[in-house]
Amino acid sequence: MSFGGPQWPQEPQQQGQQGHQGYGYPPQPGPYGQQQQPWPPPRGGDGTPDWGALADASAAGSRRRRRLLVGGGVLAAVVVGALVATAVVATNKKNDEAKTGGPTPTGAVTTTSSPTPAPTFSSVAPPPPPDPKDYITDPKKDKAPLTAEGLFPGRKLTMYGRPYKKGATSSTTNCASVTQGGLGAVLQGNGCQKLVRATYVRDGVAVTVGVAVFPSEKAALAAKKQASGGVAPLAGAGVGNFCHATVCLRRSNSVGRYAYFTQAGFTNGTKVTQKDTPVFRASDDLGTFAFNQIYARGKSQAKAAASAPPR
């Protein structure tokens, strides 16, 4: 046993081996420059060198050297691999720069496109659509033809589910000639330009409706307020005389530069009283129809003006 060092296994001395004193025997290097092999070499109990221990120590040193060599080789391979990878990356980067004319961006790659322009809106509001009443009020705009067939088309009309058969129609510029009582003077005094009439009949009640056109809304309104007498009843086309020498229902109204009048009564000449609902209803229906037709005239002209190309 050697003091101050590791235990070494003892082997029997071989026959014919000479013991060495150990002088000049090189020490075995250990890891990190330490002397692993004790010096002088361990000896047996008889003072001769312990050759078995020396052989074991030499083998252990060889194994350590091999491990160091292998580890160093692996480390060198890793370093070389890293250098090669760096070189490849650098080469690719240079190639990309050569193709694109600049350094390749790093990080997340996103495609870019030209910005989509935001919609723009005009700050000028479009003009409002034409008002139909303007076209039945202003003679300069109210240019559509005014005829009996245009105002009273077809052979019949239906109001609120009540059908009326159309009789005779007429149109004249001599407005006073187709009136009764004081209405002729009123129409003439306010400048009536034309008077169009039509008669409708239903269940023994006949109604003549007349539409008169004036040069202005003011004139039409004055004719309505001043109205006395009534429009003359129009017989014919299957409708006999009515409202002669009897009491009939007369009404007047206006819209724009138009005034419209109705005269309703029984076809058999019976006097009309406040209790004769069918006569009042027929007068209301035909007055509403006249108003609708005049306003429709304004709507059609306003629509045509709106769709016309700008001048």
Side-chain angles (χ1 to χ4, degrees):
M1 180 179 293
S2 58
F3 298 97
Q7 299 290 332
W8 296 91
Q10 303 294 320
E11 291 189 3
Q13 183 177 355
Q14 299 289 333
Q15 291 290 334
Q17 284 182 326
Q18 297 293 327
H20 293 275
Q21 297 299 318
Y23 299 106
Y25 191 86
Q28 299 298 320
Y32 310 108
Q34 296 179 359
Q35 298 296 326
Q36 187 67 27
Q37 177 64 38
W39 188 258
R43 298 178 178 274
D46 56 358
T48 63
D50 190 344
W51 301 110
L54 292 175
D56 291 340
S58 177
S62 297
R63 287 194 297 271
R64 284 193 299 273
R65 284 193 297 275
R66 282 195 299 272
R67 285 196 296 271
L68 290 174
L69 290 175
V70 171
V74 171
L75 180 60
V78 171
V79 172
V80 171
L83 292 175
V84 171
T86 302
V88 170
V89 171
T91 302
N92 291 337
K93 183 176 180 181
K94 290 180 178 179
N95 292 337
D96 291 340
E97 291 179 357
K99 293 177 181 179
T100 61
T104 303
T106 59
V109 179
T110 58
T111 58
T112 59
S113 60
S114 59
T116 303
T120 59
F121 301 94
S122 173
S123 59
V124 179
D131 186 352
K133 189 178 178 182
D134 291 343
Y135 288 82
I136 55 175
T137 301
D138 187 353
K140 296 180 180 179
K141 294 182 178 180
D142 189 14
K143 298 296 185 179
L146 180 64
T147 64
E149 187 59 28
L151 283 176
F152 310 110
R155 297 307 305 168
K156 67 178 181 179
L157 66 86
T158 300
M159 294 294 292
Y160 310 107
R162 294 182 287 272
Y164 293 84
K165 180 182 176 181
K166 187 171 77 171
T169 62
S170 73
S171 176
T172 181
T173 56
N174 185 2
C175 302
S177 66
V178 291
T179 63
Q180 291 179 334
L183 185 59
V186 171
L187 298 183
Q188 186 175 358
N190 288 287
C192 178
Q193 297 171 334
K194 182 181 284 190
L195 179 58
V196 181
R197 292 181 299 162
T199 296
Y200 291 86
V201 62
R202 177 177 185 266
D203 295 337
V205 176
V207 181
T208 294
V209 55
V211 176
V213 58
F214 294 87
S216 67
E217 181 179 28
K218 181 180 179 180
L221 185 60
K224 166 195 167 181
K225 292 180 178 180
Q226 299 168 11
S228 63
V231 64
L234 179 62
V239 180
N241 288 328
F242 65 99
C243 292
H244 286 283
T246 188
V247 177
C248 287
L249 177 63
R250 297 170 177 173
R251 286 177 171 174
S252 60
N253 211 331
S254 68
V255 56
R257 69 185 191 117
Y258 293 83
Y260 52 99
F261 309 89
T262 60
Q263 180 151 217
F266 292 107
T267 56
N268 60 8
T270 303
K271 295 181 179 180
V272 176
T273 68
Q274 294 288 340
K275 298 179 181 179
D276 293 322
T277 302
V279 176
F280 283 86
R281 183 185 297 126
S283 178
D284 290 341
D285 288 347
L286 267 298
T288 301
F289 178 74
F291 172 87
N292 291 344
Q293 290 299 98
I294 297 169
Y295 198 79
R297 175 182 173 86
K299 288 179 65 177
S300 64
Q301 293 183 93
K303 183 178 180 181
S307 59
R311 296 180 179 180

